[in-house]
Structures are given as structure tokens and as C-alpha cells.
Amino acid sequence: MLCTKIDNLNEIPKGYVIQPKLDGVRALYLNGKMLGRVRDNGHQSDYFETMNIIPIRIGLLNKDVVLDGEICVFENGISHLNLLMRKENQLRAVYVIFDILWLDGKDLSKLPYFERIEILKEWYKKTLIPNDKSPIRILDFINYSEPLIKKMYEAGLEGIVAKKLNSQYLIDWGNPCEEMRTPLWLKFKFWKTTDVKIKGLKPSEHNSHGALITEKGDVGLLTMANLEYYKNNKPEYAKVRFLEMSEKGKMRKPTLLGFKVLKSQSIGNVK
């Protein structure tokens, strides 16, 4: 079950609760196996078995349960995908469970979300040893609160996920890894913005319009109008939104918002 992206918090209807958006690899525990998937340049890959992340599997083998969650590595309380992708950090990985779909021969997917969470919490207490160092944790929901969302943003979280409190979990048990995108789950990302100095233009690839070479990584031009504006005006700076900075000072998922000329601003058309 996949989230629908929203661009404004006002798009979250009443009757929804929120959770921090985790920055890791989505993973389904099914038939004694941990199946995960990653995204490559925005395209979803097939599920793969994450056999090499050993701590996550401790205590879960041979349990008659289906779980949905995310494999993460945390740094100062914040999850970072780039840390998980580094092999030396995989022993630090934890499986954060945010839903339970099946337990002891019973299909729980048709139950309301809030009931599934209560069942998950009870199962977790009885089956595992809850503590801060456990490689398996659960993620509860919280009520929508603008001050709380502001604190999440200031803390450096990637965003929030909003879920309809009484929603079922949409799953095809004949093909459970083929997930469905639905407005029952919504995601909102906390984008950051910055001005970056342009060093030059990178030639177009794969029918794109090229990219700006900047001190903080390449930024795609998105449209022909932006390419023409750059060629005609030679702006010195680009205004860019991004999710986070890497350890090497490069922007993750940068998007061009416009251009900026030193001491006088001129915004290009971004469509």
C-alpha cells in the first residue's frame, strides 16, 4: 500500500492521523522472509530479499505474521537512506514496523487502521523485547497538530505520512508485493530551499533538457524554457529545493525553482 503525494498540508482531510516519514527501504515481512524495495531515480524496483541485514531477522523467523515497515539507520534520532546504503552501517539497521496485516492465521487487513495498530502493539509486547536498542521497533500514530509538524520540520525529518484512522489495508494476497497507491495514505515532504552558484551546463541525456552544474550537485533544468532562459541570460545562481545535504555537501533530490542574478533577481518559468 503506497502513499499519495500531496503538496500542501491543507490537503489532509479530517479523520487522518500522522506519523514521521521514514527515510529508508520499505520492507514487508512475509512467509518468514524480509522483502524490501528501493527506488532508482524515482522508479520503483522489484522486491528483493534483504538477507544481509541480519539484526532485523532476529526474533521474527517462523512467526505466522505479515508486517509492513521500513528498514532504517538512525543518526541523532533521524533516519537517513544514505547511511543505510553504506555496507558498514547495515549492522546498525532497525526494522520499524508501522502496520500488521496478518497474525496467527487471521487476515487483519480488513480491520480499521487504529485497530491494527492496537493489535501490533500487543503482539510486539508479547513477542519481542521492547527497548531502544532493539533491531525491531514499532511506529505508533499521533493526532494531527500544526505545532508538532513544525517541530518535526525543525528537527530535520524528511516529512510526514497521514493515514485515515478507520481505513483498511489494501492488499492482494495473491500478489502481496504488488502494492496499490491510495489516498488513504498521504505523504508530505519537508523541502528545503537554497541558492547555489552555477558553474556551467551539463549536456542533455535521455531526452532531458540538460542540467546545471553547481557546487552542491547537478540540478535538472526540467523544461526547454529554463534551458533557453539560462542560455540567453547566463544567471549566476539557481534557486533550488532539496530534501537534505549529503555528508559530502551534495543536495539530495534537487529541483530547480528558478534563477537568480547577483544583486537582482529574475525567476525563470518552471513548469
Side-chain angles (χ1 to χ4, degrees):
M1 191 156 152
L2 302 176
C3 297
T4 296
K5 182 178 69 174
I6 59 173
D7 296 316
N8 194 308
L9 290 173
N10 293 330
E11 296 178 57
I12 300 177
K14 291 182 179 180
Y16 280 62
V17 290
I18 61 173
Q19 294 174 325
K21 186 180 184 303
L22 300 172
D23 187 19
V25 173
R26 185 77 174 274
L28 195 70
Y29 176 78
L30 174 71
N31 296 330
K33 296 179 180 179
M34 188 72 69
L35 301 172
R37 67 199 150 95
V38 294
R39 291 177 179 272
D40 180 17
N41 296 325
H43 298 289
Q44 182 175 296
S45 72
D46 293 334
Y47 272 81
F48 64 93
E49 191 172 345
T50 53
M51 297 291 292
N52 54 337
I53 307 179
I54 298 172
I56 292 170
R57 304 197 55 164
I58 296 174
L60 274 182
L61 284 174
N62 302 318
K63 302 292 184 184
D64 185 18
V65 63
V66 179
L67 305 165
D68 192 3
E70 193 131 345
I71 302 169
C72 303
V73 169
F74 288 88
E75 183 89 3
N76 298 321
I78 307 296
S79 57
H80 297 280
L81 178 62
N82 63 320
L83 294 179
L84 178 63
M85 293 297 103
R86 291 165 55 180
K87 196 170 183 179
E88 63 268 27
N89 286 329
Q90 288 188 342
L91 291 179
R92 296 171 53 196
V94 298
Y95 183 39
V96 183
I97 306 165
F98 46 70
D99 217 326
I100 185 167
L101 316 179
W102 183 281
L103 180 61
D104 297 333
K106 296 180 181 178
D107 181 0
L108 307 180
S109 64
K110 300 294 190 294
L111 294 178
Y113 170 62
F114 67 90
E115 288 190 27
R116 298 198 307 274
I117 290 298
E118 290 303 313
I119 294 171
L120 174 60
K121 289 191 286 188
E122 284 299 312
W123 172 84
Y124 184 66
K125 289 177 184 178
K126 292 178 180 178
T127 309
L128 304 171
I129 302 174
N131 62 68
D132 291 338
K133 295 182 180 180
S134 171
I136 302 173
R137 305 175 192 173
I138 60 172
L139 184 64
D140 203 349
F141 63 78
I142 48 183
N143 291 325
Y144 184 94
S145 163
E146 290 186 4
L148 184 57
I149 291 174
K150 183 179 179 182
K151 286 183 179 180
M152 289 180 177
Y153 172 78
E154 292 172 347
L157 293 174
E158 185 183 359
I160 64 167
V161 172
K163 298 179 179 179
K164 191 172 183 180
L165 194 56
N166 64 354
S167 62
Q168 299 179 2
Y169 190 104
L170 305 180
I171 186 169
D172 177 4
W173 288 112
N175 188 11
C177 292
E178 185 65 33
E179 295 194 288
M180 311 170 200
R181 194 170 299 281
T182 170
L184 297 174
W185 288 8
L186 306 171
K187 64 179 177 182
F188 177 83
K189 292 186 177 182
F190 295 144
W191 294 99
K192 303 172 182 66
T193 59
T194 187
D195 294 337
V196 291
K197 186 172 180 61
I198 302 170
K199 292 184 174 181
L201 182 65
K202 188 175 183 178
S204 62
E205 296 179 1
H206 308 300
N207 297 320
S208 72
H209 299 290
L212 301 173
I213 301 171
T214 82
E215 56 195 350
K216 297 178 181 178
D218 295 345
V219 181
L221 282 163
L222 299 180
T223 69
M224 181 60 72
N226 292 330
L227 177 59
E228 293 300 321
Y229 182 91
Y230 175 77
K231 289 180 176 179
N232 294 333
N233 296 276
K234 295 295 188 293
E236 298 168 82
Y237 289 85
K239 183 172 287 294
V240 179
R241 75 173 189 179
F242 63 99
L243 278 181
E244 65 174 352
M245 287 289 185
S246 72
E247 294 174 338
K248 296 182 179 180
K250 302 299 182 182
M251 297 177 292
R252 183 176 166 216
K253 295 187 177 180
T255 302
L256 178 67
L257 298 178
F259 295 102
K260 186 175 181 180
V261 179
L262 194 63
K263 296 183 180 180
S264 63
Q265 193 171 6
S266 178
I267 302 299
N269 295 320
V270 178
K271 296 182 181 179

